[in-house]
Amino acid sequence: MPRTALVTGAARGLGAGIARLLSADHDVWVGGSTADSVAGISDELISARPWPVDLTDADALAAAAANITSLDVLVHNAGVADLGTVETLTLADWRHTFEANVFAVAELTRLLLPALRAAGGHVVLINSGAGIRANPGWSAYAASKFALRAFGDALRLEEPTLRVTSVHPGRIDTDMQRAIVAGEGEEYDASKYLTVETVARAVRQAVDTPADAHPTEIVLRTR
């Protein structure tokens, strides 16, 4: 029986790259905000099921998670990057960032704990270099990623039958990165950033780590 995986934010970018690699030997639930957004990647993969849901809608999330009874891999990839200084970021900005990057992750994990326990599963948290250090203009985003790291550390200790891996990549060549660079007023140069394929392979390697080892943290930087 194939193993199962759920990848959030899998409609494009890193999430799609991870879903592609996992689909070689997993039935993949392809997470995205709408049915249209996940249709393309779902049709492309060998074995995939669309899983469209607004992760910040608690009722919709609970209904979607109820369909999953056993889960080998849960990849929390979806997230937002609301950038700005402490002076310019509003309370709404902070709430939006934490709703997507922390609260949705915590709630989805809670809902899927029975399925993960049933499979002796693996939770992969796509964090960031900002989850290790904070830079000017990144306060809300970095704070959410520091919180995500703490969540992973606690989950790892609370659920000894599961593996929990925090992945901290540097900046990745994605559409989100292009938007960030445009907001910074800089010219985009893809060669400055990690490729989606490189980071996706690191996630796949963590998933493939033999059962006697627990890959707790992966940090990737551009050379």
Side-chain angles (χ1 to χ4, degrees), residues 55-188:
L55 297 175
T56 64
D57 182 330
D59 291 338
L61 189 62
N67 296 321
I68 303 175
T69 57
S70 181
L71 188 64
D72 294 280
V73 181
L74 171 59
V75 181
H76 288 291
N77 171 74
V80 300
D82 292 326
L83 306 184
T85 64
V86 172
E87 180 181 16
T88 60
L89 287 170
T90 66
L91 179 58
D93 293 328
W94 281 86
R95 283 178 171 159
H96 179 247
T97 298
F98 271 75
E99 283 285 353
N101 294 357
V102 184
F103 303 156
V105 171
E107 179 62 1
L108 180 55
T109 304
R110 183 186 72 82
L111 291 168
L112 291 177
L113 275 177
L116 288 162
R117 289 168 180 156
H122 193 158
V123 179
V124 180
L125 304 165
I126 303 300
N127 201 295
S128 167
I132 298 173
R133 67 189 184 285
N135 291 316
W138 292 70
S139 59
Y141 181 75
S144 73
K145 292 301 188 177
F146 269 71
L148 184 63
R149 186 181 185 187
F151 170 79
D153 289 346
L155 179 65
R156 193 178 298 116
L157 295 172
E158 291 173 3
E159 298 290 334
T161 67
L162 307 182
R163 294 199 293 186
V164 180
T165 303
S166 289
V167 182
H168 296 266
R171 296 173 72 162
I172 309 169
D173 177 24
T174 61
D175 291 342
M176 178 184 284
Q177 195 65 242
R178 290 180 181 274
I180 291 171
V181 172
E184 294 171 333
E186 301 290 338
E187 184 175 345
Y188 194 83

